[in-house]
Amino acid sequence: MRHRNAGRTLSRSASHRLALFRNLTRALVEHERITTTVPKAKELRPFVERIITIAKRGVASGDPIKTLHARRLVIARLGPVAKVELLDVKGEPTGKTLLKKIFDDLAIRYADRPGGYTRILKLHKRRLGDAGPTAIIELLKQGEVKAAKRSAAPATTAPTPRPEPKPESAATPPSESPEASASTNSPTGQEAAASEPKSNESQS
Amino acid sequence: MAVPKRRTSRARQGNRRSHHHVTPPQVQYCPQCNEPVLPHGVCPNCGYYQGREAVPVKTEGK
Ligand SMILES: [Zn+2]
């Protein structure tokens, strides 16, 4: 039974997994946006965000001793990759280590953000070898706000599914423009026709 | 060893297979470009997700 065993093992031993998260963290902080598989992105998120939060707390305290302590806590999580020098877009060294970027950039950037420093976007593209589902995980930019606009409820996950799933009942509130609602009508016919033959399904 | 007593008739075989169909993927339609999109996924055509958020760059052509 896997009762009370949260998290994915990702088919790795504990040390392998830790190394994976450290490597992914370095890549994410270096590039701000990386593409991995959905499960890796989902597991990486708490790992990275906790590190950023520790750094934030250390910097926000204004106390050099507490900042040093936070620095050591982050090093304990990152291990050797903490000292890796990051490269810029062209592959040139930036003269900034992973640890430095976390404390000097990210901790400041996210000073007023109560958690949730990353975003995961699921892609359609499947991996070539194992057809694994892929996703983008990215660090939010300074002052980013929720993308959910007038068309949808403020809930983060809702907006996309909301407008489309029931085009049959044309009175869906979030149809933002006549063009959009008109265009949803043609797919509706297809969708209805497509969903017709699944009268009873016992297997997928 | 257990062994079939009777040959499976075509009708029986067909009845057994009557459930062997694939279901079409549940898709929605991109509010931006109207292409079919999997739920909770970035539009593969225009790269939009959640309304106005152009996330990955466009892949033109192809
Ligand atoms: Zn689109």
Side-chain angles (χ1 to χ4, degrees), chain A:
Chain A
M1 289 185 289
R2 53 147 289 285
H3 291 178
R4 303 178 69 106
N5 289 329
R8 301 167 179 80
T9 60
L10 299 172
S11 305
R12 278 156 179 86
S13 63
S15 54
H16 188 179
R17 218 176 304 128
L18 180 59
L20 171 73
F21 289 144
R22 286 169 170 175
N23 289 335
L24 284 172
T25 302
R26 196 227 81 224
L28 176 62
V29 173
E30 183 167 358
H31 300 288
E32 302 269 321
R33 159 186 281 201
I34 56 175
T35 306
T36 44
T37 64
V38 171
K40 277 180 197 160
K42 286 187 171 184
E43 288 298 310
L44 176 63
R45 168 145 67 176
F47 185 84
V48 177
E49 296 203 348
R50 176 49 57 107
I51 285 171
I52 294 174
T53 302
I54 292 170
K56 251 173 66 172
R57 245 184 317 195
V59 171
S61 69
D63 179 353
I65 293 171
K66 283 187 178 154
T67 309
L68 176 64
H69 179 52
R71 213 169 260 275
R72 285 173 174 166
L73 288 175
V74 170
I75 290 171
R77 282 166 190 258
L78 286 178
V81 300
K83 297 195 215 80
V84 170
E85 187 177 353
L86 302 182
L87 306 178
D88 64 13
V89 191
K90 298 189 200 86
E92 302 294 325
T94 54
K96 193 176 259 193
T97 63
L98 175 59
L99 188 70
K100 191 162 165 56
K101 179 163 180 185
I102 290 172
F103 275 80
D104 294 359
D105 294 1
L106 302 186
I108 312 298
R109 189 196 298 179
Y110 300 131
D112 297 328
R113 190 179 288 279
Y117 319 119
T118 60
R119 172 184 298 125
I120 295 175
L121 297 164
K122 291 178 189 143
L123 302 175
H124 278 55
K125 178 103 176 132
R126 292 301 195 109
R127 284 207 311 190
L128 189 56
D130 64 356
T134 59
I136 286 173
I137 179 167
E138 63 183 2
L139 292 169
L140 297 200
K141 294 175 191 66
Q142 183 76 51
E144 268 195 79
V145 289
K146 281 202 166 103
K149 295 270 167 67
R150 71 216 97 128
S151 63
T156 328
T157 44
T160 310
R162 192 73 59 82
E164 298 298 347
K166 34 202 139 142
E168 294 90 351
S169 61
T172 327
S175 60
E176 59 262 83
S177 68
E179 169 264 325
S181 59
S183 50
T184 40
N185 284 341
S186 59
T188 311
Q190 295 175 20
E191 195 181 47
S195 58
E196 188 102 2
K198 57 160 186 181
S199 50
N200 49 2
E201 76 269 45
S202 57
Q203 75 120 37
S204 56

